[in-house]
Amino acid sequence: MKTDILIAGSGCSGLYCALQLPRDKKITVITKSDLTSNDSFLAQGGMCMLKEQSDYDSFFEDTMKAGHYENDKKSVEIMIKTSPEVVRDLVSYGAQFERNEDGSLAYTKGQKSQASPGQGRHQDGHRQCDDKAEDVTGKEITSTLLREVQKLSNVELLEYTTLVDILEKDNHCYGAVIRRPDGSLDTVTATYTVLASGGV
């Protein structure tokens, strides 16, 4: 099997990646289960976003602390600085975030940089990320991204397909070995291989 870009993972990262790539490239997205059984769908607690430049330092420190200071600093910087653009993209795709009466995004009181998902309910600004069973941040964002990706004719989504190994020569990845739903192994050659599978 041959593709231009192989993406391993159908969560937010993999789907958003597919949406940002050129439409003239063949993109193959594989996921080890069905398209909605991933950690992104289960995420709760709102979505962090840089609201004001003055929040950058505290946002950066909070993110580094949450990652036990093992985070790649450049990646954290990119994530924070591009967060407003990503939220604008999500809104343009149809993601529903909670809004104030004037139509602006609602932010929690406890953390300036957290935009809350909108399901027509009041957000407690001082709540913890996991204390609201009805919080559906991940489901809202991931289902929106999935819906948009499914509209693209250049993207093939393969469920119950597992990444077994990467194909590598001279320190260059040129695809992967995958296991199909029937248990058979297949080789996928790709110009680029993206590991968007969080737990790696």
Side-chain angles (χ1 to χ4, degrees):
M1 177 179 169
K2 184 174 175 57
T3 190
D4 292 314
I5 302 157
L6 174 66
I7 300 175
S10 66
C12 287
S13 296
L15 296 172
Y16 189 75
C17 178
L19 286 167
Q20 301 306 305
L21 293 169
R23 300 292 189 257
D24 63 344
K25 301 298 182 186
K26 181 181 179 186
I27 301 166
T28 304
V29 179
I30 64 171
T31 181
K32 64 184 177 183
S33 186
D34 62 84
L35 291 168
T36 60
S37 294
N38 55 61
D39 288 343
S40 292
F41 252 89
L42 302 174
Q44 299 181 345
M47 178 180 173
C48 293
M49 179 187 118
L50 184 63
K51 185 180 177 187
E52 299 168 1
Q53 192 56 42
S54 59
D55 294 332
Y56 177 84
D57 289 341
S58 61
F59 194 163
F60 185 89
E61 173 61 21
D62 287 347
T63 305
M64 293 299 296
K65 185 176 181 180
H68 305 285
Y69 297 95
E70 295 178 5
N71 321 38
D72 179 87
K73 290 182 179 179
K74 186 63 179 176
S75 294
V76 172
E77 178 186 353
I78 291 169
M79 180 198 74
I80 293 172
K81 288 185 175 178
T82 61
S83 61
E85 177 186 344
V86 171
V87 170
R88 282 193 296 273
D89 283 346
L90 292 173
V91 170
S92 75
Y93 297 144
Q96 298 294 310
F97 293 99
E98 186 166 345
R99 294 185 177 271
N100 297 313
E101 288 183 11
D102 65 1
S104 62
L105 287 173
Y107 293 87
T108 60
K109 298 174 186 175
Q111 187 175 352
K112 287 183 181 179
S113 59
Q114 190 168 351
S116 302
Q119 297 299 319
R121 60 183 173 78
H122 176 70
Q123 294 290 320
D124 176 0
H126 302 286
R127 66 181 172 82
Q128 297 297 311
C129 290
D130 58 354
D131 71 346
K132 295 280 188 181
E134 71 271 28
D135 193 330
V136 290
T137 308
K139 182 178 179 183
E140 175 63 25
I141 294 172
T142 312
S143 61
T144 297
L145 293 172
L146 178 57
R147 186 172 59 247
E148 291 301 303
V149 169
Q150 288 173 324
K151 295 176 184 177
L152 301 178
S153 60
N154 65 314
V155 178
E156 181 180 20
L157 297 161
L158 301 178
E159 296 180 294
Y160 302 101
T161 303
T162 307
L163 177 73
V164 176
D165 201 356
I166 61 169
L167 301 174
E168 178 269 336
K169 185 175 182 180
D170 300 327
N171 204 32
H172 177 77
C173 178
Y174 61 94
V177 177
I178 62 172
R179 180 173 286 114
R180 298 282 191 171
D182 64 2
S184 63
L185 295 178
D186 196 1
T187 298
V188 182
T189 58
T191 307
Y192 298 99
T193 301
V194 178
L195 299 181
S197 47
V200 172

